[in-house]
Amino acid sequence: MKHTLLIKDWLSSFLSLLFPRCCVVCGRPLAKGEECICTECNINLPRTNYHLRKDNPVERLFWGQIPLERATSFFFYEKGSDFRLILHRLKYGGQKEIGAIMGRYMAAELLSSNFFQGIDVIIPIPLHKKKQQIRGYNQSEWIARGIAAVTGIPIDTESILRKKNTETQTRKSVFERRDNVEGIFELQHPETLAGKHILIVDDVLTTGSTTLACASCLVDVEDIRISILTLAMVE
């Protein structure tokens, strides 16, 4: 057994020399034990720390519109910043595992603040089936997988469906974004979510229109409570 482990360790080191794993932010080779981003980039990640602030800017986006318990985003998405590559590689680079890794990092940091306390189920923002077939995966679901791995909270990908394949939200105004996502989600079997505390998970928060459209499907469910968590938010 020990001999086998030594061979695996040697093979892993040899493959790393030929095909080094690199930080998605700075491009430098990752050290043993590092995943996705290097330690230096992890330290410098522009965290919002909004999970430590009640009535934070993310929560304010949804005040008075849904039965909100709490909401936060993990880090700031800034145009021109190398940290934007985390989202770009996840959404457009086919690197779905980035979602799970960053989901784990995010959940591990938020865990001590009791952000996940009382949450019954995670619902990642669904993609339309055509878009998911083209991309090959739902990036929000992969972020949710990372969160679930740390928290043990189950994921539900069946209760909310995306029934319209909308245009991209990029370059749309606030009003255009709201019109673009109006009525695009549909709730299935609402009785199964009655009395539950739902965590809606998405990749990036801009105006909150897509997240709000998804959460609005749940407002008529009996005794529903909603929290929101995104990997990034546009500053």
Side-chain angles (χ1 to χ4, degrees):
M1 181 69 177
K2 187 176 180 180
H3 182 65
T4 302
L5 290 174
L6 285 172
I7 292 174
K8 286 183 178 179
D9 194 48
W10 176 87
L11 183 59
S12 178
S13 298
F14 178 71
L15 290 173
S16 294
L17 288 173
L18 294 177
F19 310 102
R21 299 175 306 116
C22 295
C23 174
V24 299
V25 177
C26 69
R28 285 178 286 196
L30 294 172
K32 187 175 181 179
E34 293 178 339
E35 293 184 281
C36 181
I37 60 175
C38 67
T39 300
E40 183 176 349
C41 287
N42 194 0
I43 291 171
N44 293 326
L45 188 74
R47 290 166 170 80
T48 70
N49 289 317
Y50 285 162
H51 63 288
L52 302 175
R53 291 173 52 185
K54 188 171 178 57
D55 302 335
N56 65 61
V58 178
E59 293 181 353
R60 291 174 197 164
L61 285 174
F62 305 100
W63 275 355
Q65 302 181 83
I66 57 173
L68 184 71
E69 290 286 313
R70 44 192 176 267
T72 191
S73 298
F74 188 44
F75 72 91
F76 291 113
Y77 177 97
E78 303 172 14
K79 289 184 178 180
S81 166
D82 288 339
F83 289 102
R84 78 190 189 286
L85 296 173
I86 295 172
L87 272 298
H88 283 209
R89 299 278 177 83
L90 170 59
K91 290 184 72 169
Y92 310 117
Q95 299 183 38
K96 58 189 178 184
E97 66 280 355
I98 290 175
I101 294 167
M102 294 304 298
R104 294 203 311 271
Y105 286 164
M106 177 168 60
E109 290 194 26
L110 270 59
L111 203 58
S112 61
S113 70
N114 295 322
F115 182 86
F116 300 103
Q117 186 174 9
I119 292 173
D120 298 298
V121 64
I122 301 170
I123 296 183
I125 297 282
L127 285 180
H128 189 271
K129 59 183 179 181
K130 287 185 178 178
K131 186 172 286 186
Q132 185 158 335
Q133 285 172 355
I134 293 170
R135 185 169 293 167
Y137 58 92
N138 177 354
Q139 70 277 4
S140 296
E141 183 180 338
W142 276 80
I143 295 169
R145 289 186 187 190
I147 297 168
V150 172
T151 64
I153 301 170
I155 300 172
D156 178 357
T157 59
E158 304 294 330
S159 290
I160 297 180
L161 301 179
R162 194 166 191 147
K163 60 182 183 179
K164 294 181 183 178
N165 191 15
T166 55
E167 300 174 1
T168 178
Q169 296 280 71
T170 306
R171 298 190 180 90
K172 289 186 181 295
S173 69
V174 173
F175 298 107
E176 287 172 334
R177 284 171 183 262
R178 288 177 181 171
D179 288 342
N180 193 42
V181 298
E182 187 176 356
I184 67 171
F185 297 106
E186 185 176 79
L187 179 62
Q188 309 289 307
H189 310 296
E191 67 279 359
T192 63
L193 297 178
K196 298 285 182 66
H197 184 175
I198 308 299
L199 177 64
I200 294 177
V201 169
D202 203 3
D203 55 353
V204 60
L205 183 72
T206 305
T207 64
S209 55
T210 302
T211 308
L212 180 60
C214 183
S216 295
C217 290
L218 299 164
V219 295
D220 292 329
V221 176
E222 185 180 0
D223 296 325
I224 197 77
R225 289 166 293 154
I226 301 170
S227 289
I228 293 166
L229 177 58
T230 71
L231 181 59
M233 72 172 295
V234 176
E235 192 173 19

